[in-house]
């Protein structure tokens, strides 16, 4: 392999936002470039998940040995959890001060807390991380009651969509974050067949139950003083399970993209909140008409 | 008693033998094929983007190759550490299920300091006593080797030394790769914090003002550091992306081969054990110690290969001394 290059270089950012002061007060330049790079990042995550699923599906169709098929299902899950970790890290970052530092120091308890909040109080996450405008912000920016009504209806649609996406991502992460750790650090995962087929897996297989014939058991241990605690988690790997991991992983990537796009737009434009107008075709005609009239002027606050 | 042998001092089948066997077989049948498929996929995807103008897509594709290649390098660290530093009173495999932020880095940073005993344990020629830390030769543990001819004993010693040397060299290369690429690996796994190339330029550290004439540098890949590092980011300015992809993928595959050999040496003992459907040991079978499993054909003279082949063959005999007074024989080359 090549030698390390001892030369030190520095990185100069080459963006010209309209509101230069807003960048520094909202996370700084590296964070802004990170948001702007979301399209490539999330497209890669989605593609990696999809390719892994294709390999899994092909192995299943070809009748490869069950442990091999199971392993490929775990690869789909691993890649889905990478996308979920990206999203969790972004949410965690935007929930506190110095988001760029928070993003790069996020650990599993932070990600878990972010997803717990997404599950129990999605509105708080949508406000902080997705810059979703509040009633007060909408009413402060627009004087017409018709505008309030139309924007609040557009916000309701966005809230419903994002909340459902958050729920799926939280469900994926909170159920399986230990498996994320296992797949990325040493892969201590026993193939289900080693548990079910004689002579079995001894203590590791005791009490293990799976609702699907194809599964694996993630084995993770913790040392506390002189005590070692070992946990076992069954990971279902039937086709419909792996399809669900694929689907929810891609949703996590999609949601991360929308979070980043929203944040980048907010920083560059100087607007602290907004109402996404993606789903306006689902609005009634009156609201749609009001929205069309407002287009170009639906950022809120400074 | 099994076949006349007293198994009362053997490790528990339920707590040690069966779980160890299950995990090691899972490595062989599930995990290694997965790691291999992941590298193949990442590399194929990267190659599909060669010549593309989509710099961001190419950057992430290259990071994907690095990440999938680094995974088995990390895996080896966990397995080797578990067997070298076994937890007292627990099955050895349990150590490989304990996550630590230091396991991989600690393993790779210390490789250049390791002694002969260490490589004997890693190769499976010895096991580590969890209480004393001593390396206990497995041939000593398995029985009397005095029956081996001197030529066989020498051949085994030569193979052992060749294995130590091969491991020493190969692991030093992988340690260098870990040092060079682990930051990219972590950046990919945790947040995907690659530098967005379209927004930045790299200039010499002494530059105060960037103009159109300022020379720029272009890394093959660059990432932001996970915080806690003393540097903000890392980039490779020495190699082309193509060389990075090809080299790191090769290293990942080397690591997979090493893990496969490691697993083979630990699984070999289970070839000797016949379990019934309930997991009880009912018989001992002949087995072969995979003594030369780490080596390539060119690592030993042909004469040595002819003497020892894959390794010593073990046949279990009763430890009840026969009336003739013959020394009970536990091993046979």
């Amino acid at each position: 392999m090549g030698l390390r290059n001892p030369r030190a270089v520095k990185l100069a950012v080459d963006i010209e936002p309209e509101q230069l002061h807003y960048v520094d007060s909202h996370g700084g330049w590296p964070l802004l470039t990170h948001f702007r790079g979301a399209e490539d990042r999330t497209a890669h995550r989605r593609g990696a998940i999809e390719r892994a699923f294709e390999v899994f599906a092909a192995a299943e169709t070809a009748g490869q040995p069950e442990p091999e098929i199971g392993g490929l299902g775990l690869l789909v899950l691993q890649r889905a959890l990478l996308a979920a970790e990206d999203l969790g890290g972004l949410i965690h970052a935007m929930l506190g001060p110095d988001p760029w530092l928070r993003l790069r120091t996020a650990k599993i308890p932070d990600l878990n807390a972010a997803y717990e909040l997404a599950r129990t109080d999605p509105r708080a996450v949508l406000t902080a991380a997705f810059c979703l405008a509040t009633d007060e912000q909408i009413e402060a920016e627009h004087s017409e009651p018709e505008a309030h009504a139309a924007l609040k209806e557009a916000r309701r649609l966005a809230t419903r969509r994002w909340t459902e996406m958050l729920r799926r991502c939280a469900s994926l992460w909170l159920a399986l974050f230990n498996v994320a750790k296992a797949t990325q650090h040493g892969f201590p995962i026993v193939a289900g067949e080693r548990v079910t087929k004689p002579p079995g897996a001894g203590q590791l297989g005791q009490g293990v139950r799976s609702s699907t014939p194809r599964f694996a058991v993630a084995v993770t241990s913790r040392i506390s003083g002189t005590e070692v605690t070992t946990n076992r988690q069954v990971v279902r790997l039937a086709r419909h399970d792996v399809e669900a991991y694929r689907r929810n992983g891609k949703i996590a990537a999609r949601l991360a993209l929308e979070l980043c796009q929203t944040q980048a737009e907010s920083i560059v434009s100087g607007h602290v909140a907004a109402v996404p107008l993606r789903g306006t075709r689902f609005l009634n005609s009156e609201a749609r008409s009001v929205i069309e009239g407002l287009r170009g002027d639906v950022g809120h606050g400074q | 008693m099994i076949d006349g042998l007293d198994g009362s001092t053997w490790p528990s089948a339920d707590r040690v033998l069966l779980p160890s066997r299950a995990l090691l077989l899972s490595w062989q049948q599930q995990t290694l094929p997965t790691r291999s498929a992941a590298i193949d996929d990442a590399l194929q995807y990267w190659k599909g983007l060669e010549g593309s103008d989509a710099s961001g897509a190419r950057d992430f594709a290259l990071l994907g190759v690095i990440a999938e290649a680094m995974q088995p390098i990390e895996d080896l660290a966990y397995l080797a550490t578990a067997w070298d530093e076994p937890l007292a009173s627990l099955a050895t495999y349990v150590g490989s299920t304990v996550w630590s932020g230091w396991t991989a880095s600690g393993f790779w940073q210390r490789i250049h300091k390791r002694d002969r005993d260490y490589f004997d344990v890693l190769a499976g020629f010895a096991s580590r006593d969890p209480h004393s830390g001593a390396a206990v030769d497995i041939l000593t543990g398995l029985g009397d080797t005095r029956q081996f001819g001197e030529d066989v004993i020498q051949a085994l010693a030569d193979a052992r030394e060749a294995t130590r040397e091969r491991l020493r060299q190969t692991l030093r290369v992988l340690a260098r790769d870990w040092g060079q690429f682990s930051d990219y690996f972590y950046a990919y796994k945790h947040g995907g914090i690659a530098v967005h190339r379209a927004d930045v330029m790299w200039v010499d550290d002494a530059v105060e003002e960037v103009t159109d004439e300022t020379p720029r540098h272009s890394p093959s890949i660059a990432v932001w550091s996970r915080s806690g590092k003393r540097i903000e980011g890392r980039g490779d300015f020495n190699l082309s992306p193509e060389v990075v992809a090809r080299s790191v993928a090769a290293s990942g595959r080397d690591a997979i081969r090493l893990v496969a050999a490691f697993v083979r040496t630990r699984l070999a003992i289970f070839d000797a054990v016949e379990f019934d459907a309930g997991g009880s040991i009912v018989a001992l079978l002949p087995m072969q110690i995979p003594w030369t499993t780490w080596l390539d054909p060119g690592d030993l003279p042909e004469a040595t290969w002819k003497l020892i082949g894959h390794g010593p063959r073990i046949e279990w005999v009763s430890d009840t001394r026969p009336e003739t007074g013959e020394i009970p024989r536990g091993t046979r080359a």
Side-chain angles (χ1 to χ4, degrees):
Chain A
M1 290 298 295
L3 300 173
R4 279 195 200 182
N5 191 325
R7 184 175 53 199
V9 299
K10 75 175 142 201
L11 192 149
V13 178
D14 186 17
I15 314 171
E16 292 183 28
E18 297 158 16
Q19 304 282 350
L20 289 174
H21 67 271
Y22 209 66
V23 178
D24 290 326
S25 64
H26 283 74
W29 295 93
L31 183 65
L32 176 58
T33 71
H34 185 71
F35 288 147
R36 285 162 58 96
E39 195 150 342
D40 290 323
R41 181 170 60 251
T42 58
H44 175 82
R45 294 296 198 208
R46 285 200 307 276
I49 294 167
E50 192 58 33
R51 292 194 314 273
F53 183 80
E54 286 168 8
V55 176
F56 161 81
E60 201 182 45
T61 302
Q64 276 169 233
E66 278 297 312
E68 269 185 45
I69 301 172
L72 294 170
L74 287 166
L75 182 61
V76 177
L77 177 57
Q78 179 183 359
R79 291 181 175 183
L81 289 166
L82 286 178
E85 178 167 347
D86 289 352
L87 175 65
L90 286 164
I91 294 172
H92 167 71
M94 302 319 298
L95 288 174
D98 202 344
W100 181 233
L101 180 66
R102 287 171 69 89
L103 180 68
R104 293 174 302 137
T105 56
K107 294 193 170 20
I108 285 188
D110 302 315
L111 304 175
N112 292 354
Y115 273 118
E116 273 298 338
L117 187 66
R119 194 178 63 81
T120 57
D121 189 1
R123 205 64 185 269
V125 169
L126 295 181
T127 304
F130 289 79
C131 307
L132 196 60
T134 62
D135 283 353
E136 292 75 21
Q137 285 165 330
I138 290 173
E139 288 160 13
E141 279 294 305
H142 306 277
S143 53
E144 307 84 6
E146 298 82 11
H148 299 167
L151 288 170
K152 286 176 184 175
E153 181 60 15
R155 185 188 64 193
R156 189 188 66 78
L157 292 177
T159 299
R160 189 172 69 186
R161 176 174 171 270
W162 276 341
T163 298
E164 175 58 19
M165 294 169 83
L166 279 173
R167 185 190 67 76
R168 286 173 175 269
C169 298
S171 162
L172 172 68
W173 178 262
L174 291 171
L176 294 164
F177 66 87
N178 264 330
V179 183
K181 202 176 208 178
T183 58
Q184 294 176 38
H185 301 288
F187 218 98
I189 303 183
V190 179
E193 205 175 68
R194 297 272 66 84
V195 173
T196 56
K197 275 191 173 176
Q203 202 177 49
L204 271 186
Q206 274 166 18
V208 166
R209 298 279 183 270
S210 172
S211 55
T212 56
R214 187 187 305 129
F215 66 98
V217 182
V219 184
T220 51
S221 302
R222 282 174 52 180
I223 298 179
S224 179
T226 55
E227 265 194 33
V228 180
T229 310
T230 297
N231 293 310
R232 299 165 301 156
Q233 180 170 2
V234 172
V235 185
R236 295 196 304 255
L237 295 168
R239 187 170 182 124
H240 61 266
D241 298 306
V242 179
E243 280 175 343
Y245 303 147
R246 162 216 208 187
R247 192 165 51 243
N248 291 335
K250 290 172 79 172
I251 287 174
R254 178 78 212 172
L255 200 50
L257 173 64
E258 293 183 18
L259 183 159
C260 290
Q261 286 176 331
T262 306
Q263 284 289 342
E265 177 61 29
S266 166
I267 293 169
V268 168
S269 69
H271 292 115
V272 75
V275 176
L277 301 178
R278 225 176 248 107
T280 50
R281 66 185 183 281
F282 298 113
L283 296 174
N284 62 49
S285 56
E286 186 184 335
R288 254 202 327 271
S289 168
V290 170
I291 295 281
E292 286 305 316
L294 291 173
R295 273 194 190 272
D297 187 33
V298 287
H300 302 277
Q302 292 284 338
Chain B
M1 298 283 279
I2 301 165
D3 292 345
L5 290 172
D6 179 8
S8 62
T9 59
W10 293 355
S12 158
D14 189 56
R15 284 195 310 106
V16 178
L17 298 179
L18 289 172
S20 301
R21 177 181 178 274
L23 186 63
L24 290 167
L25 281 173
S26 298
W27 269 102
Q28 202 173 59
Q29 298 166 352
Q30 167 197 262
T31 308
L32 289 177
T34 300
R35 292 299 200 212
S36 191
I39 293 176
D40 289 346
D41 167 70
L43 193 60
Q44 186 176 28
Y45 178 64
W46 151 255
K47 284 182 177 170
L49 290 175
E50 272 180 323
S52 161
D53 290 335
S55 62
R58 290 190 63 194
D59 282 346
F60 274 100
L62 183 56
L63 272 183
V65 177
I66 293 172
E68 300 296 3
M70 289 292 112
Q71 281 289 177
I73 296 179
E74 179 162 2
D75 293 343
L76 181 59
Y78 270 84
L79 286 170
T81 300
W83 262 261
D84 184 57
E85 300 171 19
L87 300 168
S89 309
L90 290 175
T92 304
Y93 81 87
V94 175
S96 72
T97 69
V98 178
W99 174 79
S100 160
W102 300 108
T103 297
S105 293
F107 174 82
W108 290 112
Q109 284 166 9
R110 289 181 291 174
I111 276 295
H112 66 283
K113 298 180 189 173
R114 298 301 194 178
D115 61 13
R116 288 157 55 103
D117 275 357
Y118 181 85
F119 289 109
D120 278 356
V121 170
L122 194 148
F125 298 132
S127 64
R128 190 70 77 182
D129 185 295
H131 302 289
S132 67
V136 179
D137 196 293
I138 59 164
L139 284 181
T140 307
L142 283 171
D144 194 333
T145 58
R146 282 177 288 173
Q147 61 181 307
F148 294 164
E150 279 188 24
D151 52 348
V152 171
I153 291 175
Q154 184 59 51
L156 291 174
D158 290 345
R160 187 193 288 239
E161 186 54 39
T163 299
R164 289 184 194 121
E165 189 51 33
R166 173 165 275 277
L167 284 173
R168 196 177 280 121
Q169 286 179 18
T170 307
L171 293 175
R172 280 186 179 176
V173 171
L174 290 181
R176 201 169 61 218
D177 293 342
W178 179 263
Q180 185 160 1
F181 291 107
S182 55
D183 280 351
Y184 304 106
F185 178 37
Y186 292 136
Y188 181 84
K189 284 201 290 192
H190 303 300
I193 47 177
V195 175
H196 183 47
R197 197 184 284 266
D199 283 344
V200 305
M201 62 189 84
W202 286 268
V203 299
D204 284 334
D205 201 30
V207 167
E208 293 293 331
E209 185 186 346
V210 177
T211 67
D212 289 344
E213 284 71 44
T214 305
R216 279 111 163 103
H217 305 290
S218 182
S220 57
I221 188 66
V223 296
W224 298 104
S225 293
R226 294 270 292 164
S227 190
K229 303 279 184 174
R230 56 182 174 77
I231 49 173
E232 276 296 318
R234 174 162 243 165
D236 185 287
F237 295 87
N238 200 36
L239 304 171
S240 70
E242 291 74 24
V243 170
V244 169
R246 194 168 59 240
S247 300
V248 81
S251 293
R253 290 185 176 126
D254 283 344
I256 288 174
R257 276 191 286 276
L258 289 176
V259 173
F262 183 95
V263 167
R264 274 197 302 277
T265 60
R266 271 61 186 184
L267 267 175
I269 190 64
F270 296 105
D271 290 338
V273 182
E274 186 174 320
F275 294 95
D276 66 14
S280 298
I281 300 173
V282 295
L284 291 180
L285 308 168
M287 66 168 277
Q288 191 160 32
I289 303 175
W291 198 263
T292 54
T293 197
W294 300 91
L295 298 175
D296 285 341
D299 289 334
L300 292 173
E302 199 177 320
T304 306
W305 284 110
K306 280 195 173 133
L307 270 173
I308 57 172
H310 293 300
R313 187 171 161 77
I314 308 292
E315 288 184 13
W316 306 94
V317 297
S318 167
D319 60 3
T320 304
R321 287 179 179 272
E323 288 178 3
T324 60
E326 287 173 8
I327 297 170
R329 294 183 287 178
T331 56
R332 186 170 304 171

